[in-house]
């Protein structure tokens, strides 16, 4: 009886070994203690005032780890994923390439009427589909589809949402379906991505988590500025798909499993590695909705996403056969967005840089201090206007500086940093408000002073 018992134990152990083979291999390839990492993430989320976060780690066969934080209560809760949407668009294009309906080396005018989008229709004849995919079309970063002009950087990398907005138009033209219908039918439904959507209506039905934008260090809830027409800088193919961490895990597993029935392994290889350099230091390369980077201790494929009140990151680590997704329901452009890169490093097996525990507060205090100084400069002449009136000798040089030169500088800041004001308004609204309000205060006080002097002289 005892011998039979021992034999049964041995058989049971052998059985466990075989059914858990994937876990054993995986554990050997990846020794990250995700529970410990998760505890550190909880601290970081609290320190950096992140309202909610959802993360998932997958290998080809299973979910290795998943967790939600803050006001995100379910791994199925959708977030707007921003520019991670570009990989869905690139994937759709490559499907159409496999079907023989698109040749990525042909000009985009082969597939769409470029006169609808370009100031000069001929520009569309110069740009290939592949150049749109690889962000080297010559279209500038802040161009919109209503009036595209070729820049001087043709055939050189420059990130532009318009590239992927145009690819979305191409998918519609070639497939004779809406972008939403094509992606849903050919990607979302086959992968069982039931919490992913390409329309605002479906986002709401799926329970889209509330997004936040940071004002002076305080996260404030705002509705997403969903694209409505071709005048939108970021359209759905470039940045407004919504998805949950659970669904994005399925999406990355598709790549880890060589495309399943969605795409061929050859096309995935082209998406990942048929790319162009983003810089001159041989580190980052932009492919078809993916960035191949040597920034980390091992090569990683990645893409981030950012819209007005959501940020996101996804990673594939080819050596470990691991996919990772991080979704956040806040845009804190000047502080947290920059810290997020370091916050998630432990998920990749990288060391997180040692920084001050109060870095979020320190950075926001520094930014707010600058805002306060600018506001004091604008308000001081108003508060002391009676003193100014009683001065027998007016300080005209100082008045010219604070009522003419300074407001002009504030107004020109977007031009100086080469960012349109509407981008600052959408993504860094507290800075936009400081620029608008204080330039108006300075100019209007100056106009009042001129009127006062003219009236006094007339008397």
């Amino acid at each position: 009886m005892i011998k039979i018992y021992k034999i049964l134990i041995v058989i049971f152990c052998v059985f466990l070994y075989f059914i858990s083979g994937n876990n054993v291999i995986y554990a050997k390839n990846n020794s990250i203690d995700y529970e410990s990492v998760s505890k550190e993430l909880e601290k970081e989320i609290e320190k950096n005032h992140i309202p909610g976060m959802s993360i998932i780690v997958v290998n080809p066969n299973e979910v290795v780890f998943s967790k939600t934080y803050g006001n995100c209560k379910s791994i199925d809760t959708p977030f707007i994923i921003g520019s991670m949407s570009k990989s869905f668009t690139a994937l759709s294009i490559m499907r159409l390439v496999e079907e023989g309906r698109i040749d990525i080396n042909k000009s985009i005018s082969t597939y769409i009427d470029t006169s609808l989008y370009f100031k000069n229709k001929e520009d569309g004849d110069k740009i290939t589909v592949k150049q749109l995919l690889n962000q080297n079309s010559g279209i500038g970063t802040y161009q919109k589809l209503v009036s595209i002009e070729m820049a001087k950087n043709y055939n050189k990398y420059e990130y532009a949402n318009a590239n992927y907005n145009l690819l979305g138009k191409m998918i519609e033209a070639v497939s004779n379906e809406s972008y939403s219908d094509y992606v849903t039918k050919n990607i979302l439904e086959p992968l069982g991505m039931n919490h992913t959507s390409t329309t605002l209506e479906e986002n709401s039905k799926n329970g889209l988590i509330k997004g936040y934008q940071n004002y002076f260090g305080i996260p404030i809830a705002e509705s997403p500025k969903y694209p409505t027409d071709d005048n939108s800088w970021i359209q759905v193919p470039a940045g407004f798909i919504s998805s949950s961490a659970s669904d994005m895990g399925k999406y990355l597993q598709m790549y880890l499993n060589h495309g399943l029935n969605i795409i061929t392994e050859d096309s995935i290889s082209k998406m990942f590695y048929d790319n162009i350099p983003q810089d001159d230091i041989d580190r980052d390369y932009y492919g078809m909705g993916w960035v191949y980077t040597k920034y980390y201790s091992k090569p990683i494929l990645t893409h981030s996403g950012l819209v007005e009140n959501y940020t996101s990151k996804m990673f594939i680590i080819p050596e470990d056969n691991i996919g990772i997704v991080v979704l956040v329901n806040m845009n804190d452009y000047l502080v947290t967005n920059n810290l997020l890169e370091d916050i998630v490093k432990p998920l990749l097996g990288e060391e997180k840089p040692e920084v001050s525990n109060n870095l979020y507060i320190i950075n926001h205090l520094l930014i707010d201090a600058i805002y306060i100084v600018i506001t004091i400069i604008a308000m001081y002449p108003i508060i002391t206007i009676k003193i100014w009136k009683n001065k027998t000798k007016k300080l005209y040089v100082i008045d010219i500086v604070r009522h003419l030169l300074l407001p002009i500088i504030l107004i020109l800041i977007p031009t100086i940093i080469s960012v349109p004001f509407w981008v600052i308004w959408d993504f860094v609204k507290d800075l936009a408000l400081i620029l608008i309000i204080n330039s108006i205060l300075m100019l209007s006080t100056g106009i009042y002073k001129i009127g006062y002097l003219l009236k006094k002289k007339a008397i």
Side-chain angles (χ1 to χ4, degrees), residues 42-92:
E42 286 179 4
K43 295 176 186 176
E44 293 293 340
I45 286 165
E46 185 177 350
K47 282 191 305 186
N48 293 287
H49 300 269
I50 295 172
M53 179 187 284
S54 184
I55 63 173
I56 195 163
V57 182
V58 297
N59 65 20
N61 305 312
E62 62 186 341
V63 174
V64 176
F65 181 78
S66 66
K67 182 80 172 177
T68 62
Y69 307 86
N71 64 7
C72 180
K73 303 305 179 185
S74 170
I75 202 71
D76 294 327
T77 300
F79 294 63
I80 293 176
I81 64 171
S83 288
M84 287 182 358
S85 306
K86 290 180 172 67
S87 68
F88 287 83
T89 302
L91 182 62
S92 300

Side-chain angles (χ1 to χ4, degrees), residues 225-330:
K225 188 180 177 183
Y226 210 81
T228 55
D229 53 38
D230 286 347
N231 198 44
S232 299
W233 181 43
I234 308 175
Q235 296 177 18
V236 175
F240 268 93
I241 289 175
S242 69
S243 187
S244 64
S246 58
D247 276 8
M248 288 302 297
K250 296 174 184 177
Y251 180 65
L252 294 193
Q253 282 179 319
M254 179 270 296
Y255 289 102
L256 296 174
N257 282 295
H258 315 296
L260 298 176
N261 294 319
I262 306 296
I263 198 79
T264 65
E265 187 172 3
D266 181 61
S267 290
I268 289 177
S269 180
K270 287 175 182 174
M271 289 177 69
F272 287 171
Y273 303 115
D274 191 0
N275 47 32
I276 64 163
Q278 288 187 213
D279 46 45
D280 297 325
I281 59 174
D282 192 33
R283 192 189 76 179
D284 300 329
Y285 300 82
Y286 198 94
M288 304 175 186
W290 287 91
V291 176
Y292 173 74
T293 180
K294 301 174 185 176
Y295 170 73
Y296 303 97
S297 61
K298 60 185 74 174
I300 283 179
L301 293 148
T302 183
H303 209 292
S304 59
L306 169 66
V307 290
E308 291 84 353
N309 38 14
Y310 298 86
T311 53
S312 58
K313 289 183 178 292
M314 64 179 176
F315 308 87
I316 288 177
I317 310 174
E319 286 184 17
D320 299 333
N321 229 14
I322 289 291
I324 300 166
V325 174
V326 180
L327 305 176
V328 176
N329 63 335
M330 182 176 73

